């Protein structure tokens, strides 16, 4: 049924007057009619390719309103959107394309040479380009398509999006999210965050991850609210947009960069209703500085690619928690309505108030599994159907959840996840490297960044700068450690395991 198609829900939320502005992007204004017609044209283009329903549409393009329209078109036509970080290099893209076997690949015109080579080699028949300035073969072809399109019928649990997320072992896994998963989250957040008439979202995040693609775009569209679109985050421009905006969503780095601007004042933010932060822990001092500078308390929430949003501080009184409405700094708030969250010990037993353990979750927002990895999927779920988040936390007497750490070896840098195991595997393949360890170090801008510690092969000489330069050729730039040093041996415990805690301690002050 087309009612199961999440695009249909978004479309029905558009305002009656389709000629009102839906998106302001620089000097351009896109109406709701533009969103409807452009997504119809792109959906017709995809349909015309005669690819099977459920085909993956892999997209690695710079942020643009047209890229959002392509996302909407993919949902509308019943295909599966596969967004890829623009920082990914050829090795990474090659893996995603081989793994997901997309029917269509869309890349930026500048990357067509190498991306199309990879795609054609993998058997992809349709490769289009889309620039951030409305150029490229995708729009040229879509221009010839009809402006109306019947929303595709889907089943509620049909796949809508695959989001690749790296892992502590092995290669990235594609988290499969259904129309029902993304719908449930968008509907819950609309109410929980009090979306209202007159809201205007300042869209500052990339749209190849859950935060910018789902939480932000769905939030605005399902409320029929317009967006102020920023192709790239710029702190001065973001603050200037607050004269017209009401809702801002960011990772902590965006907030620390805005805090460095003298223009950030109570007056500049007076029109704003809601500031949301997530994707990485926000320091208490950042929360406090923001409150002091603007008079607003940032609402922190917690989510994952596999689950979309899980918990949130309340925006208004939460009747499930005695009417508490306090945004409690240092916590990620309450499990969202419909989400069941528990903290368990190593034996899987639920823990009591303030006891620290592993966070497990269940709910209509939780993904169906990893693309073509049934065993990996089974490992990540408990026998009674809870997803193991890999985060460590506690729940206080009022029900607020606090994340205290992670059991997964993961660095979150400026809101992007960096898995040390992946970086180490590339380092270990470099000539002259015997072994390596990558750890996170606190960083004033990115929150955390990677530091690489290397041991050279006997007789080999390693140059740290050359190692990093070589890594940059192969890996997305945000994954490349910000510091590298060569040591004679890695610290190990009696079991032979590298003691990463000692390395973390040794580099704890490096960037502060
Ligand atoms: C850029 N660089 C970084 C990062 N970003 N290094 C480490 N971590 C980063 N995040 C490096 C580049 O490698 C480059 O180094 C230099 O900084 C400048 O790059 P540039 O692209 O100009 O950086 P920027 O435009 O200033 O980007 C910084 C940023 C961006 C705006 C903070 O990283 C960003 O938009 N982060 C948001 C990520 C996000 O949306 N996460 C949500 C994931 P060099 O010059 O040496 O190459 S969703 C999620 O986590 C869950 C589900 C959730 O809960 O939301
Ligand atoms: P991703 O794989 O990009 O979906 O990242 C999800 C991870 O980001 C979670 O498992 C958490 O470790 C982390 N995360 C997201 N939001 C928060 C938050 N508000 N505080 C702490 N960690 C967070």
């Amino acid at each position: 049924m087309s009612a199961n198609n999440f695009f249909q829900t978004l479309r029905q939320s558009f305002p009656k007057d389709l000629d009102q502005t839906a998106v302001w992007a620089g000097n351009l204004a896109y109406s709701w009619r533009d969103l409807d017609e452009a997504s119809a044209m792109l959906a017709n283009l995809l349909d015309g390719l005669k690819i099977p329903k459920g085909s993956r549409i892999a997209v690695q393009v710079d942020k643009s309103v047209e890229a959002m329209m392509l996302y909407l078109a993919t949902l509308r036509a019943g295909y599966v959107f596969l967004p890829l970080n623009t920082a990914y290099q050829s090795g990474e893209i090659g893996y995603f394309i081989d793994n997901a076997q997309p029917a269509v690949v869309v890349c930026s015109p500048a990357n067509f040479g190498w991306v199309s080579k990879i795609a054609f080699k993998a058997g992809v028949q349709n490769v289009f380009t889309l620039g951030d300035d409305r150029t490229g073969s995708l729009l040229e072809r879509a221009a010839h398509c009809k402006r109306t399109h019947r929303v595709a019928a889907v089943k509620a649990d049909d796949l809508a999006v695959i989001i690749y997320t790296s892992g502590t072992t092995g290669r990235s896994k594609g988290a499969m999210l259904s129309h029902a998963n993304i719908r449930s989250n968008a509907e819950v957040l609309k109410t929980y965050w009090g979306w209202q008439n007159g809201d205007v979202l300042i869209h500052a995040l990339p749209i190849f991850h859950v935060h910018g693609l789902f939480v932000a775009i769905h939030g605005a569209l399902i409320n029929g609210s317009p967006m102020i679109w920023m192709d790239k985050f710029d702190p001065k421009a973001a603050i200037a947009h607050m004269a017209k905006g009401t809702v801002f969503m960011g990772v902590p780095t965006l907030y620390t960069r805005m805090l460095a601007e003298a223009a950030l004042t109570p007056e500049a933010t007076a029109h704003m209703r809601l500031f949301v932060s997530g994707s990485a822990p926000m320091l208490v001092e950042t929360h406090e500085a923001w409150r002091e500078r603007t008079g607003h308390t940032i609402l922190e929430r917690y989510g994952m690619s596999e689950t979309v949003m899980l918990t949130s501080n309340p925006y208004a009184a939460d009747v499930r928690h005695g009417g508490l409405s306090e945004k409690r700094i240092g916590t990620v708030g309450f499990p969202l309505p419909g989400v069941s969250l528990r903290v368990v010990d190593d034996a899987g037993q639920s823990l009591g108030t303030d006891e620290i353990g592993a966070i497990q979750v269940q709910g209509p927002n939780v993904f169906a599994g990893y693309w073509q990895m049934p065993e990996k999927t089974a490992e990540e779920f408990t026998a009674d159907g809870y997803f193991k988040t890999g985060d460590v936390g506690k729940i206080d007497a009022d029900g607020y959840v606090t994340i205290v750490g992670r059991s997964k070896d993961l660095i979150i840098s400026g809101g992007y996840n960096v898995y040390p195991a992946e970086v180490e595997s590339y380092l270990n393949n470099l000539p002259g490297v015997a072994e390596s360890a990558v750890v996170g170090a606190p960083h004033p801008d990115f929150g955390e960044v990677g530091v690489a510690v290397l041991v050279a092969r006997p007789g080999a000489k390693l140059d740290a700068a050359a190692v990093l330069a070589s890594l940059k050729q192969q890996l997305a730039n945000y994954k490349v450690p910000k510091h590298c040093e060569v040591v004679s041996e890695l610290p190990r415990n009696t079991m032979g395991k590298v003691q990463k805690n000692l390395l973390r301690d040794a580099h704890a002050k490096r960037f502060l």
Side-chain angles (χ1 to χ4, degrees), residues 259 264-266 285-297:
L259 275 165
L264 187 78
T265 59
E285 63 204 58
T286 310
H287 270 290
E288 286 173 346
W290 192 266
R291 191 139 79 180
E292 205 168 293
R293 289 280 295 285
T294 68
H296 291 274
T297 303

Side-chain angles (χ1 to χ4, degrees), residues 204-212 215 232-233 251 253-254 257 278-280 301-309 412-418 445-446 448-449 472 476-480 482:
L205 287 163
I207 58 168
F208 38 68
H209 285 305
V210 161
H211 201 161
V215 193
K232 196 170 168 12
F233 172 70
V251 301
T253 301
L254 271 50
R257 289 188 183 184
S279 310
R301 89 317 178 265
Y302 155 60
M304 291 184 75
S305 301
E306 288 92 334
T307 64
V308 203
M309 295 302 100
I412 305 186
S413 187
Y416 288 141
N417 288 2
V418 180
D445 185 28
F446 293 123
E448 226 182 343
V449 294
K472 227 175 205 174
N477 56 12
Y478 65 88
K479 295 181 190 171
V480 177
K482 301 278 188 246

